[in-house]
Amino acid sequence: MDRRTSSPSSGEALLFLTDEQLRQGIEAMFFAYRGFTADPDRILADMAYGRAHHRAIHFIGRAPGTTVNNLLNILGVTKQSLNRVLRTLIADGLVESKVGRQDKRERHLNLTQAGRTLEQTLSDAQRARMRAAFREAGPEAVAGFRTVLEAMMDSEMRSSFGRLKDSAA
């Protein structure tokens, strides 16, 4: 069958999106991201924290004991910017940093009880929004959404994401 005449439900027709359709997808992604981050942003604003703090809290909570270097790789930020965020989180009693047992140069990060509570509050807000959107869209759309998100990742990001998924299994 000619790919250009395949049914839209087959997915092949999506290979021929117009620039306007792609622009609309990009804009939808920007607005969806604003919605996805809106609730945590409101919670964090009261604490004078931003999205960098949220990302650090999320991934430290996701991988307790992670090293600073691992967090740098996951977040893709500079050491200087991560250190600013970590200093604040440590000073405020949300994160603790411990020297590595085998390698004294390593710093292992864990959330404190207060950090876990904040992480839970932030994640609950995002899970509620995701759950509602996934329910409305249906299982096929959810599977397609995940496929698109993973396809947008470069190979290094996909590897990091895969390691996170594997650690949860």
Side-chain angles (χ1 to χ4, degrees):
M1 177 190 279
D2 182 353
R3 298 181 104 168
R4 286 167 285 192
T5 60
S6 63
S7 71
S9 64
S10 72
E12 290 181 9
L14 297 177
L15 297 175
F16 302 99
L17 294 172
T18 66
D19 285 346
E20 176 61 19
Q21 290 168 314
L22 292 170
R23 184 189 62 72
Q24 290 172 4
I26 290 166
E27 289 171 356
M29 195 163 176
F30 281 125
F31 284 103
Y33 183 72
R34 278 182 55 193
F36 179 69
T37 58
D39 298 321
D41 284 352
R42 277 191 290 280
I43 295 164
L44 293 169
D46 293 338
M47 305 173 76
Y49 290 165
R51 290 183 186 161
H53 296 89
H54 181 198
R55 288 189 298 269
I57 289 167
H58 174 85
F59 285 106
I60 294 168
R62 184 75 166 80
T66 192
T67 64
V68 171
N69 281 336
N70 187 48
L71 193 57
L72 279 168
N73 290 332
I74 289 171
L75 298 177
V77 297
T78 65
K79 197 171 198 174
Q80 182 180 14
S81 66
L82 180 58
N83 282 336
R84 260 193 311 271
V85 167
L86 289 176
R87 270 195 305 273
T88 304
L89 295 173
I90 291 167
D92 291 348
L94 298 171
V95 171
E96 61 183 10
S97 173
K98 293 186 178 176
V99 174
R101 289 185 186 156
Q102 283 90 11
D103 186 343
K104 302 295 184 199
R105 296 170 297 177
E106 284 186 340
R107 298 288 181 260
H108 293 267
L109 305 169
N110 287 287
L111 296 178
T112 63
Q113 182 56 51
R116 287 189 297 275
T117 300
L118 177 58
E119 191 281 327
Q120 183 72 44
T121 300
L122 298 170
S123 291
D124 284 350
Q126 288 185 310
R127 274 193 294 274
R129 187 177 290 263
M130 291 287 285
R131 186 176 291 112
F134 282 175
R135 278 190 181 132
E136 185 176 324
E140 288 178 17
V142 171
F145 175 71
R146 288 193 58 122
T147 299
V148 169
L149 289 178
E150 289 184 34
M152 288 174 48
M153 298 175 197
D154 65 27
S155 61
E156 185 179 320
M157 286 179 206
R158 203 171 303 124
S159 293
S160 293
F161 179 65
R163 285 190 298 275
L164 279 172
K165 282 194 327 187
D166 292 344
S167 72

